[in-house]
Amino acid sequence: MHDLVERLYPLCRSITGDGVRQTLAVVGESLDLDVHEVPTGTQVLDWTVPQEWNIRDAYVADAAGNRLIDFRKLNLHVVGYSVPVHEWMSFDDLRPHLHTIPEQPSLVPYRTSYYSPAWGFCLSENDLLALPSGPYEVMIDSTLADGHLTYAEHVVPGQVSDEVIITCHTCHPSLANDNLAGIAVAVELAQRLKNPWYTYRFVFAPGTIGAITWLARNFDTIERVKHGVVLACAGDEGALTYKKSRRGDAEIDRVVRYVLETSGRDHTIVDFSPYGYDERQYCSPGFNLGVGSLTRTPYAGYPEYHTSGDNPDFVSPGAMTDTLETLWEVVGVLDRNRTYVNQSPYGEPQLGRRGLYDSLGGRSDTKQAQLAMLWVLNLSDGEHSLLDIAGKSGLPFSAVADAARALHDAGLVKE
Ligand code: ZN
């Protein structure tokens, strides 16, 4: 995962353009991707797909041609979606186009201007103070033209057509935690899934406009999306944070809470708010999907956020692995969670006669397995899911799910 972060890091992604395509091409080496190209001008919900932005080079140079600010060294140096410019100018003329973070003088900020035509450069406050006097050659070799918005999907077919969506944004240039770590974890999770219960759809799309485009193009079939997770900031050393869906008690909310609470991991669970990543779109009131957001340190919650400090050194293999394993446990519970009805509810059914004791004989966890059967039989009234039963009984979800499977195979419970 960390290798993938390092490989994707130099690419100049934005909400459109070749940096996104190159990113998806790399992801496509690991996963079969359906890449979608949506033309500029396409109406998507209340938005319109913008012109496509591509950039080849950009710099501010002195009279001798020395590059003082150089896009080729770090793509954060150019404001995303900058219109082309090539002029000589004085410091006073250039200054309004320069962006720094005075409180973090060694870091280069990340800035964009997607929806109003502008250009600019980002640099550290220290470098700004050290700039020699002008005049400067200012050059941005970019193109804003009709083209496409690019996003991709990878589908792992399940035993049912009901879907779980796992989404991550692909629109940030050289920022590691804030988009690349999520992409890397999603790729790894997708590769692990083999013949799951639900159909898993991984969506790699630019933030906001990409999610809105995806929703617009899936409007008529959105009912098949039963659960989802927006994955972001997946690789910093902070503890996990789960932001609940707008519904607040969607099955995904209960499953993630269960996994986090029973795993012993440090974590925080927060209520939905219409601020953050693409849960804003999936949980807009018209859709109101059961989609939560899993991050480590959340949106804007760390000093390196949206700066050159969010580089591959800021994300760790261990943190990404922890995020991956957490999601893997979530998938394990979500995929096996069912609600059953006891078919023999008058008194306890005789388990021995059906071989349900014998089949467990000799196992060290026999007692737990028998207890789990009694709990499943008693609470399977159509009102309690296996997750509810695990919560009430205090037994591990896997023991409850195994018991339910045995009872189901014996005809004692029905889904
Ligand atoms: Zn961001």
Side-chain angles (χ1 to χ4, degrees):
M1 289 185 282
H2 200 267
D3 287 347
L4 182 58
V5 168
E6 287 193 321
R7 190 159 164 218
L8 296 175
Y9 180 74
L11 300 175
C12 189
R13 282 162 293 275
S14 186
I15 53 173
T16 63
D18 288 334
V20 177
R21 293 189 187 95
Q22 290 157 6
T23 299
L24 297 176
V26 172
V27 170
E29 293 171 14
S30 304
L31 303 178
D32 284 334
L33 290 183
D34 288 326
V35 177
H36 303 264
E37 297 276 1
V38 185
T40 298
T42 304
Q43 191 71 29
V44 285
L45 306 181
D46 197 46
W47 297 54
T48 305
V49 172
Q51 289 198 311
E52 180 178 326
W53 184 68
N54 284 292
I55 181 162
R56 291 158 291 278
D57 194 10
Y59 57 84
V60 173
D62 64 15
N66 299 307
R67 291 186 176 211
L68 307 170
I69 307 172
D70 188 356
F71 167 79
R72 288 180 176 170
K73 285 193 178 151
L74 179 67
N75 58 38
L76 297 180
H77 280 312
V78 171
V79 171
Y81 260 67
S82 279
V83 297
V85 58
H86 193 188
E87 283 178 42
W88 284 85
M89 56 180 72
S90 67
F91 181 80
D92 286 348
D93 290 338
L94 177 61
R95 183 65 188 88
H97 298 278
L98 299 180
H99 306 274
T100 68
I101 318 172
E103 314 82 64
Q104 294 172 291
S106 66
L107 298 178
V108 179
Y110 163 54
R111 297 278 183 274
T112 60
S113 183
Y114 297 138
Y115 299 106
S116 60
W119 63 267
F121 286 88
C122 300
L123 70 167
S124 71
E125 178 74 8
N126 291 342
D127 283 351
L128 173 68
L129 296 174
L131 266 190
S133 56
Y136 309 99
E137 183 191 4
V138 177
M139 213 284 287
I140 297 179
D141 180 12
S142 65
T143 317
L144 260 173
D146 286 356
H148 296 84
L149 177 149
T150 312
Y151 72 89
E153 297 173 289
H154 170 75
V155 176
V156 182
Q159 296 166 51
V160 295
S161 58
D162 287 350
E163 287 190 3
V164 179
I165 57 169
I166 309 283
T167 80
C168 33
H169 60 291
T170 55
C171 53
H172 287 34
S174 288
L175 292 162
N177 197 38
D178 191 359
N179 81 348
L180 299 181
I183 293 171
V185 170
V187 167
E188 205 66 20
L189 180 67
Q191 287 181 310
R192 272 196 192 180
L193 285 166
K194 307 279 185 242
N195 195 29
W197 175 253
Y198 290 110
T199 292
Y200 283 77
R201 183 179 300 270
F202 292 79
V203 181
F204 301 94
T208 307
I209 186 69
I212 284 171
T213 300
W214 186 87
L215 284 164
R217 288 162 59 97
N218 291 277
F219 195 92
D220 295 333
T221 51
I222 204 69
E223 280 296 312
R224 71 184 176 208
V225 176
K226 302 302 182 195
H227 319 283
V229 175
V230 173
L231 181 58
C233 299
D236 66 272
E237 291 290 352
L240 286 159
T241 301
Y242 177 70
K243 179 165 129 182
K244 291 190 274 188
S245 73
R246 181 177 179 276
R247 296 185 200 167
D249 65 343
E251 189 173 345
I252 188 72
D253 301 325
R254 286 181 277 128
V255 169
V256 177
R257 173 187 290 278
Y258 175 83
V259 166
L260 289 174
E261 286 180 351
T262 56
S263 71
R265 288 178 173 89
D266 274 350
H267 67 274
T268 310
I269 295 174
V270 297
D271 284 335
F272 177 78
S273 61
Y275 183 68
Y277 292 102
D278 285 328
E279 65 276 13
R280 296 158 59 169
Q281 313 310 330
Y282 301 114
C283 299
S284 54
F287 293 109
N288 202 22
L289 299 175
V291 172
S293 171
L294 185 68
T295 61
R296 303 196 69 85
T297 307
Y299 190 89
Y302 47 97
E304 295 83 355
Y305 175 79
H306 280 190
T307 75
S308 53
D310 184 2
N311 58 46
D313 292 338
F314 182 65
V315 301
S316 77
M320 283 188 281
T321 300
D322 185 57
T323 308
L324 172 67
E325 296 302 339
T326 302
L327 272 173
W328 184 241
E329 289 170 40
V330 167
V331 164
V333 174
L334 191 61
D335 250 28
R336 297 187 77 188
N337 193 29
R338 307 270 191 286
T339 302
Y340 292 97
V341 178
N342 184 340
Q343 301 300 295
S344 180
Y346 300 103
E348 286 179 357
Q350 200 183 355
L351 297 178
R353 176 156 62 82
R354 296 177 169 86
L356 289 171
Y357 276 140
D358 294 346
S359 68
L360 301 162
R363 286 171 55 175
S364 60
D365 56 353
T366 296
K367 189 157 186 298
Q368 185 182 71
Q370 289 175 359
L371 257 180
M373 282 195 204
L374 298 178
W375 275 103
V376 171
L377 283 168
N378 191 276
L379 288 181
S380 286
D381 51 6
E383 304 290 323
H384 297 87
S385 69
L386 297 183
L387 185 64
D388 295 330
I389 297 170
K392 280 189 186 284
S393 67
L395 294 166
F397 178 83
S398 58
V400 171
D402 288 347
R405 153 116 339 224
L407 293 168
H408 179 265
D409 291 349
L412 284 172
V413 296
K414 201 167 145 192
E415 200 174 333

